[in-house]
Amino acid sequence: MSASNPLKKFVEKVNQYPAPISAFLMTKVFRHKVKLAGTTSIDVVATNGQQVEYRMKNRKKVQNHIGSVHAAAMALLAESATGFIVGINLPGDKLPLIKCMNLNYVKRATGDMKAVAVLTDEQIKLLCEQEKGEINVQVKVTDETGIEPVVCEMIWAWVPKRA
């Protein structure tokens, strides 16, 4: 029997509220736990437990020298979305760790950014059943025009928590 996951319980509870309230509550908790996400004002838009959508507005704090979202901020957005979806599906006695981030910047970004991370049923099963392991979490980062300026590969590992 795997250990209870407090983050998953929280997400299930707040998803019972209307979408704007649910998103607000998840964003508050996420920004409190991940300080850099608070600094960059990443928003949790929605999650169903298998997919999550995050948003980052093109604000002065996250801009590069040409006025678009900085490459590092895009990486943070993708890492945050994938980490969240792994975190809510991992048993509470396991620790998620980012193992590899491969980002290829292929176009110039315009405006606000969105990241959608998805886990397959098979990946969720691995997270629940294996003591430790790794998975490649699919994430698509797009700008406000729908263009995918960065192609991301995010590999997450998990290990047992130390007592």
Side-chain angles (χ1 to χ4, degrees):
M1 181 88 187
S2 59
S4 174
N5 179 332
L7 180 59
K8 184 174 191 143
K9 283 183 179 179
F10 171 76
V11 168
E12 288 170 350
K13 183 172 177 87
V14 301
N15 269 343
Q16 295 174 11
Y17 295 110
I21 294 170
S22 174
F24 172 78
L25 292 170
M26 282 190 277
T27 297
K28 282 296 248 189
V29 167
F30 179 71
R31 288 181 184 178
H32 176 73
K33 292 291 184 184
V34 181
K35 306 299 185 215
L36 186 55
T39 300
T40 59
S41 298
I42 290 176
D43 293 316
V44 181
V45 177
T47 186
N48 62 11
Q50 192 164 2
Q51 174 177 307
V52 68
E53 181 179 332
Y54 271 42
R55 179 183 57 221
M56 178 186 288
K57 293 188 179 203
N58 184 3
R59 300 172 42 243
K60 191 86 169 151
K61 274 188 176 182
V62 298
Q63 287 180 347
N64 58 20
H65 62 288
I66 58 174
S68 63
V69 174
H70 197 282
M74 286 187 231
L76 175 66
L77 182 64
E79 188 264 346
S80 295
T82 56
F84 186 85
I85 203 67
V86 168
I88 64 174
N89 284 287
L90 201 58
D93 61 347
K94 305 292 185 287
L95 180 68
L97 303 163
I98 186 75
K99 185 173 182 180
C100 176
M101 293 189 333
N102 183 16
L103 298 115
N104 293 308
Y105 296 92
V106 295
K107 304 254 191 237
R108 180 178 173 175
T110 304
D112 299 344
M113 303 298 297
K114 175 175 81 170
V116 177
V118 180
L119 290 178
T120 65
D121 291 333
E122 294 80 25
Q123 288 175 316
I124 293 172
K125 186 176 178 187
L126 284 174
L127 288 166
C128 293
E129 293 177 353
Q130 288 189 355
E131 183 73 11
K132 60 183 180 176
E134 66 181 56
I135 54 173
N136 185 336
V137 181
Q138 296 301 307
V139 61
K140 185 171 185 176
V141 178
T142 54
D143 67 9
E144 69 182 29
T145 67
I147 292 172
E148 191 174 0
V150 57
V151 178
C152 308
E153 177 184 45
M154 299 287 180
I155 299 175
W156 281 86
W158 65 95
V159 295
K161 281 184 180 175
R162 292 186 183 152

